[in-house]
Amino acid sequence: DEFISSPPRKTVRFGGTLTDILLKYEKGETMDFELLKHQLSDPDIKDVQIINWLHEFRASVAYLTKELEQLVSILLKLPWLRRSQEVVEEYLGFLGNLVSAQTVHLRPCLQMIVSQFVPSRITIREDDVDISDSDDDDENLPENFNTCHRALQTVARYVPSTPQFLMPILVENFPFINKSERTLECYVHNLLRVTVYLPPLRLPILELIIEKLLKLDVSTPQQDIEDAEETANNSDSEEKSMEEGLFDMEEDEERKGNKVVSSCSERMAHPLAERLDILMTILFTYIKEVCHLDGKLDIKNTKDLYRDLVSVFDKLILPTHASCHVQYFMFYICSFKLGLAEAFLDHLWKKLHDPNNPSVIRQTAGSYIGSFLARAKFIPVVTVKACLDLLVNWMHKYIDNQDTGANACCDVALHGPFYSTCQAVFYTLIFRHKQLLDGNLRKGLSYLQSLNFERIVMCQLNPLKICIPSVVNLFAAITRKYQLVFCYTIIERNNRQFIPVVRSGTGGHLVQTCTNPLDSFFPFDPYMLKRSKKTIDPFYQFWEELSAEDLENLKKPIKKGTYEDEDDDFLKGETPQNDGVVGIASNSYESNIQSPVSSIGSPPGCYVPYPQ
């Protein structure tokens, strides 16, 4: 039966060799040539036929000049990936011969390979309408992708200039963000695989991926993600209450149901956040695998990748305002080794204090320093102190240069980097003051007093007026408790001088709004993507919800002379885990606990939330 059903093994079906057909075509005889194209385009073409044709084409690539690009196009559309191993091997051999003999066909070959980096398209019929969609359930995808990368490596081996022709094609073929999650996942994963065997493309590929992730990130503000999760949770609760008690499920059905619930709980309710979560997980996995060999950190690979990621950070992340998640690739790679974290802080410091950099870049660098020092568990106290010394000394020198001149006024446009640095220092102190004072209270207080916060707070530039109120209030409470500086007189004076900003509401009413003069944000605010946050959480310092006892302690200054005798419960709190927020009123020191609405940043309306 197999013999009867298989086509006869002859070179061409219509007589003559492939070379004869191509030579006849050159002379204007097109009939055999058209029949050849028709046979190659046949959707029911057999494996044996493909092998026979490819074998002949491999020996005739010298004839496949630019004039025959239509024929080459048909050959590149052959369904070779989902065929027998013999077809695959013959096709890879053909590609190698083609690009080595006729580099004019390099770009179409690369285009064909890259087009296979995503699941193939299939037609689904719904309500008498044909809908094209990606075949996300194709079980052969991993094997197909492996073959595609073999093909790309084959081409690159024959044509050294492959990388420069490949990169524009990778950019052009990047799927739109509204494509299926599986399509985006496959494409990004395959791009990262390319960097392994084509190292010159690693930096541009990382730039491409992170640029696309940034677009996803800024399209999904944190408040939108929280709202979507809250809506989904409320919907799930309603469904659960309706179904509760109606049926007694069998044990095996319950197990299945529980499994579904657990997998669904991993999904983000916001569709763009779900895509971003999947892609961030892939990026984190890539970073880990590149930096580790056999479970151990490879210093050379890690340093090389760090340099590439810092380059991408400077080009894309720093100029982007209020991204929520993508910047965590720097947080993650810095967690591998303290030297990387210190190098990153030094890099940010150079950005901050260089007057040749744009003010907005300097301010953003300040926000990154403060947020990184506050949130990264892997940064020890000695490094925090070194950074505080550097920042505070710069602030004092800045005050020396500015505090008596014509520019000695509270103006964000003139002194933006200074205010950003002040906020970074205040924010770091809020999160790290317990560790700075831990062990030896007298020594810790002596160190904090040496920073001379009083001069900074009292200077003509008036940083307490510009910094975010939530940071100012907590900084004021902590510095008052340890008698470092009394901020409340200045805060009350600033409040009296505050001129309300009004805008037209939807109904024509005037609505008072609060402003964030620095337009600042904290780039390492809590990470919200469910899957990828598992990678970040072990290294992340969460904000501690202050207990009633801690709030009382904040109101009671420590008496001098009792540094070593008294136990201070506020200093011996456990590792922060809760996400509550605290507001401390500037005039009465009274406190209230509120649920977090959003992270510190550019808050909507008048409500400014406290650190989470």
Side-chain angles (χ1 to χ4, degrees), residues 337-576:
K337 192 171 179 60
L338 178 58
L340 296 177
E342 291 176 341
F344 184 50
L345 286 165
D346 182 61
H347 180 75
L348 291 169
W349 160 245
K350 289 173 181 174
K351 293 280 183 187
L352 171 62
H353 81 86
D354 184 356
N356 294 318
N357 285 327
S359 180
V360 65
I361 295 296
R362 297 176 68 191
Q363 289 175 220
T364 306
S367 296
Y368 270 93
I369 291 174
S371 196
F372 193 59
L373 288 173
R375 297 293 194 173
K377 275 186 181 179
F378 47 83
I379 297 181
V381 176
V382 63
T383 303
V384 174
K385 281 186 174 182
C387 290
L388 285 177
D389 288 339
L390 202 63
L391 295 171
V392 171
N393 285 339
W394 180 82
M395 287 156 60
H396 282 300
K397 288 179 183 177
Y398 191 93
I399 293 170
D400 289 339
N401 294 331
Q402 301 288 338
D403 211 24
T404 55
N407 293 332
C409 59
C410 185
D411 189 336
V412 176
L414 290 174
H415 311 294
F418 171 77
Y419 293 124
S420 181
T421 307
C422 289
Q423 187 159 274
V425 169
F426 298 165
Y427 191 71
T428 302
L429 184 70
I430 290 168
F431 274 85
R432 294 283 193 161
H433 71 274
K434 291 185 181 181
Q435 293 166 286
L436 291 168
L437 296 168
D438 195 24
N440 189 326
L441 185 58
R442 181 186 294 275
K443 189 176 179 181
L445 283 173
S446 176
Y447 168 72
L448 290 179
Q449 288 165 354
S450 72
L451 298 178
N452 196 1
F453 284 122
E454 185 172 9
R455 180 171 185 255
I456 294 169
V457 166
M458 300 291 184
C459 75
Q460 292 295 314
L461 302 181
N462 194 1
L464 296 185
K465 186 174 184 179
I466 300 299
C467 295
I468 293 176
S470 53
V471 173
V472 169
N473 288 337
L474 283 169
F475 173 76
I478 291 166
T479 52
R480 173 185 178 274
K481 174 177 176 57
Y482 297 107
Q483 299 188 4
L484 299 172
V485 59
F486 191 80
C487 300
Y488 290 103
T489 304
I490 298 173
I491 293 173
E492 288 175 356
R493 186 182 70 211
N494 289 339
N495 288 343
R496 287 195 297 270
Q497 294 174 351
F498 174 72
I499 301 175
V501 179
V502 294
R503 61 178 172 83
S504 296
T506 53
H509 303 292
L510 290 177
V511 181
Q512 179 174 322
T513 62
C514 285
T515 59
N516 174 6
L518 274 175
D519 197 25
S520 57
F521 72 107
F522 295 97
F524 297 118
D525 263 354
Y527 194 93
M528 301 184 65
L529 306 177
K530 294 178 184 177
R531 292 182 191 84
S532 46
K533 84 189 297 286
K534 295 175 184 175
T535 303
I536 298 301
D537 281 358
F539 312 108
Y540 190 77
Q541 177 68 62
F542 290 93
W543 173 245
E544 174 186 8
E545 181 178 3
L546 299 182
S547 64
E549 186 178 359
D550 286 340
L551 293 172
E552 287 300 317
N553 284 335
L554 276 179
K555 300 176 189 177
K556 299 176 183 176
I558 291 181
K559 297 177 182 177
K560 293 181 178 179
T562 61
Y563 297 149
E564 297 175 328
D565 301 330
E566 291 186 4
D567 286 336
D568 195 317
D569 294 334
F570 186 64
L571 295 178
K572 297 182 179 178
E574 297 179 357
T575 302

